[in-house]
Amino acid sequence: ASSLLPAGMAYVDALSSGVSAVASSTVLVDAGSIASGQTVPFVFRLQPNQAGTFLTTAQITASSQPDADSQPN
């Protein structure tokens, strides 16, 4: 999975294994194999470099099975 960071936020570090940053604008998560219905939490820290409200989302980027509600699929 990957998470694009909003402008004004910088990746600091990860508290979970399998998390890394590409440049300072994308966080990648290697979740390994996840069973249907299973959840796997990942924790990483960000630091704002300007005042504001920040939102980010994550997206599945590779899967051996179709993900009906994922864009891109």
Side-chain angles (χ1 to χ4, degrees):
S2 67
S3 178
L4 298 176
L5 302 181
M9 284 299 239
Y11 176 84
V12 175
D13 62 12
L15 303 177
S16 301
S17 62
V19 179
S20 61
V22 175
S24 62
S25 62
T26 304
V27 175
L28 299 177
V29 175
D30 181 354
S33 296
I34 301 174
S36 177
Q38 179 184 7
T39 61
V40 179
F42 290 91
V43 179
F44 54 90
R45 297 190 293 184
L46 306 174
Q47 181 173 10
N49 53 32
Q50 66 187 37
T53 300
F54 303 95
L55 300 173
T56 188
T57 60
Q59 177 65 44
I60 301 297
T61 54
S63 175
S64 63
Q65 301 295 312
D67 184 359
D69 65 352
S70 180
Q71 294 297 322
N73 193 356

